[in-house]
Amino acid sequence: MKSFLVDQDGYYGEFGGAFVPEILHRCVEELRLRYLAVMESAEFRQEYDRLLRDYVGRPSPLYYARRMAEKYGCRLYLKREDLNHTGAHKINNTIGQILIARRMGKRRVIAETGAGQHGVATATVCALMDMECVVYMGRTDVERQHVNVEKMRMLGATVVPVTSGNMTLKDATNEAIRDWCCHPDDTYYIIGSTVGPHPYPDMVARLQSVISEEIKRQLLEHEGRDFPDYLVACVGGGSNAAGTIYHYVDDERVRIVLAEAGGKGVETGMTAATIQLGRMGIIHGAKTYVIQDNDGQIEEPYSISAGLDYPGIGPMHANLAARRRATVLPINDDEALAAAHELTRMEGIIPALESAHALGALKKMTFAPDDVVVLTVSGRGDKDMERYLNSD
Ligand SMILES: *Cc1c(COP(=O)(O)O)cnc(C)c1O
């Protein structure tokens, strides 16, 4: 059987690759030639593992959610990425990439951010490593996400409001790429999800794979076997899902369920359900499904959760869906909100709105009582309190 991990050429089936402007070819190629050797070196492993343990607070618990398990009629475990430093899984990736940037001799870091979660995670590790940090953010998002902007500035980053296009994530990404083109020698571009040109999707998946590495160990301890029957995670670009499934993706005993943002409904036009609606295209340097109009123009996505509000999907996940290795369910805003309130009242855990989409998938699944289900809670809900207060 062909693996669901990346191939020699940077593809997952027909998805992936590296479609970048000529001027960036050298940057991406430099990274491609270096990343595996760096990540596999004992010296990198040691520093990365130490920071994950002492700074991030890993391993994150695998928590048996007793009341929710009873309700859904299965053995339900929650992988608690919400307990990480800065409140989500994103820090696993930014710590890894900043260590890679340093080993490549880069002095300056740039990033793009939508809601500001990846920007904060990047500004955090730049403070930690004393690196210059510039974060591009659409002006609309700067206004909507004031607290995250202040956090980034307090951490020492320069936040650049982007005023082109719709002034959101897509435009911020274009601006970050433009910056990289101007400073290819000293600048490292930290991408926040399993998107972008090869090797980014594979590199980010490997850095997040600590999640499934821990699940294996923890399940063995709790259940006496190191694999679940189901893995459930939400998908924006796909990084927390990639980390959750990484060590199981070629193991057919494990079923994979991914939740994407249905928004107000897949048929309403206000959605980010890329697997339901996307067609093959190129976005951020990778060939994958993209929500686009008949002229190939990328359409503005919508979701109540900023982290899932992306008009593409990582090439790994597009391939999993195309080959039916994963079941992808669209979860609408109202279903995610209800699931967030349910987890809060049944387990005393307020999840991020993104993670609430994964929880919303439980209602659409049927289980046997002995099924072991692991669901990743990708982040905590502090940032979403205003939304929750208005939805009670
Ligand atoms: C950013 C974010 C996501 C979506 O990103 P992925 O790369 O798909 O994981 C999900 N959950 C939280 C809490 C986030 O901050």
Side-chain angles (χ1 to χ4, degrees):
M1 190 195 74
K2 221 170 146 218
S3 173
F4 288 97
L5 295 174
V6 76
D7 71 17
Q8 287 286 319
D9 303 318
Y11 279 84
Y12 302 83
E14 53 183 328
F15 304 91
F19 299 83
V20 296
E22 189 56 36
I23 188 164
L24 285 184
H25 182 75
R26 195 160 49 87
C27 297
V28 173
E29 189 62 9
E30 185 190 8
L31 185 59
R32 186 182 72 79
L33 292 171
R34 292 289 303 278
Y35 82 110
L36 286 178
V38 170
M39 289 177 71
E40 281 161 10
S41 72
E43 183 262 337
F44 172 90
R45 274 304 343 157
Q46 218 168 38
E47 190 173 8
Y48 184 51
D49 291 347
R50 183 181 61 79
L51 286 168
L52 288 181
R53 188 188 67 217
D54 299 339
Y55 189 70
V56 176
R58 304 203 72 92
S60 65
L62 186 71
Y63 165 68
Y64 186 73
R66 187 181 56 80
R67 293 186 62 202
M68 292 275 285
E70 254 166 48
K71 167 158 186 183
Y72 288 101
C74 63
R75 301 191 54 74
L76 177 65
Y77 290 88
L78 304 178
K79 183 60 172 160
R80 298 289 308 277
E81 295 299 298
D82 58 309
L83 295 176
N84 293 341
H85 179 45
T86 68
H89 66 291
K90 288 200 168 71
I91 192 98
N92 304 327
N93 170 50
T94 51
I95 288 210
Q97 286 199 54
I98 200 136
L99 295 181
I100 292 168
R102 284 163 68 84
R103 281 158 182 76
M104 290 175 68
K106 309 291 181 182
R107 289 175 291 106
R108 182 172 175 271
V109 164
I110 59 171
E112 86 291 336
T113 196
Q117 296 304 111
H118 173 56
V120 170
T122 302
T124 298
V125 298
C126 286
L128 178 70
M129 294 291 164
D130 192 21
M131 302 266 277
E132 185 187 343
C133 181
V134 179
V135 179
Y136 290 92
M137 189 169 184
R139 203 184 72 192
T140 313
D141 290 330
V142 168
E143 284 160 10
R144 282 195 295 213
Q145 305 290 338
H146 192 66
V147 174
N148 276 341
V149 173
E150 292 312 322
K151 278 187 189 169
M152 287 183 262
R153 291 190 171 137
M154 185 167 172
L155 287 159
T158 304
V159 180
V160 180
V162 175
T163 55
S164 56
N166 285 308
M167 310 191 208
T168 57
L169 178 63
K170 180 157 54 71
D171 315 292
T173 303
N174 290 338
E175 213 52 46
I177 290 171
R178 208 162 293 148
D179 178 313
W180 206 21
C181 286
C182 296
H183 308 92
D185 291 325
D186 70 340
T187 296
Y188 183 95
Y189 181 16
I190 297 191
I191 294 184
S193 188
T194 42
V195 300
H198 178 67
Y200 279 101
D202 182 51
M203 179 171 63
V204 176
R206 285 170 187 265
L207 292 171
Q208 292 290 359
S209 73
V210 63
I211 298 173
S212 51
E213 203 178 294
E214 290 174 2
I215 292 173
K216 280 197 138 177
R217 224 175 34 237
Q218 291 167 321
L219 271 184
L220 191 60
E221 212 170 278
H222 288 283
E223 290 286 333
R225 60 160 150 125
D226 71 356
F227 65 96
D229 297 293
Y230 289 91
L231 288 169
V232 187
C234 66
V235 190
S239 68
N240 87 87
T244 301
I245 66 179
Y246 192 87
H247 291 287
Y248 297 110
V249 77
D250 291 326
D251 182 345
E252 296 281 358
R253 295 172 300 184
V254 181
R255 277 162 282 187
I256 297 171
V257 176
L258 305 176
E260 63 176 2
K264 294 200 187 293
V266 169
E267 61 301 319
T268 64
M270 293 190 72
T271 181
T274 307
I275 292 299
Q276 312 298 319
L277 296 175
R279 283 175 294 128
M280 191 67 109
I282 289 175
I283 183 167
H284 302 159
K287 202 167 144 194
T288 184
Y289 292 134
V290 184
I291 304 183
Q292 51 190 310
D293 65 20
N294 287 333
D295 299 326
Q297 292 297 312
I298 295 170
E299 298 203 80
E300 195 67 20
Y302 164 82
S303 162
I304 192 173
S305 78
L308 303 185
D309 195 351
Y310 182 67
I313 184 168
M316 177 188 187
H317 309 70
N319 186 49
L320 292 173
R323 288 179 59 194
R324 305 195 187 283
R325 173 67 181 96
T327 305
V328 183
L329 302 173
I331 306 298
N332 294 347
D333 291 356
D334 55 345
E335 296 168 322
L337 282 171
H341 285 288
E342 181 178 85
L343 183 73
T344 303
R345 296 301 287 268
M346 291 186 74
E347 299 289 347
I349 297 169
I350 303 180
L353 262 169
E354 292 83 1
S355 321
H357 286 72
L359 292 158
L362 291 175
K363 276 203 173 32
K364 310 198 168 191
M365 301 167 64
T366 47
F367 301 108
D370 288 341
D371 281 344
V372 173
V373 180
V374 175
L375 184 150
T376 295
V377 180
S378 53
R380 65 177 83 126
D382 303 31
K383 67 186 179 57
D384 300 311
M385 282 316 295
E386 217 161 311
R387 273 276 154 62
Y388 290 150
L389 290 174
N390 293 328
S391 69
D392 213 359

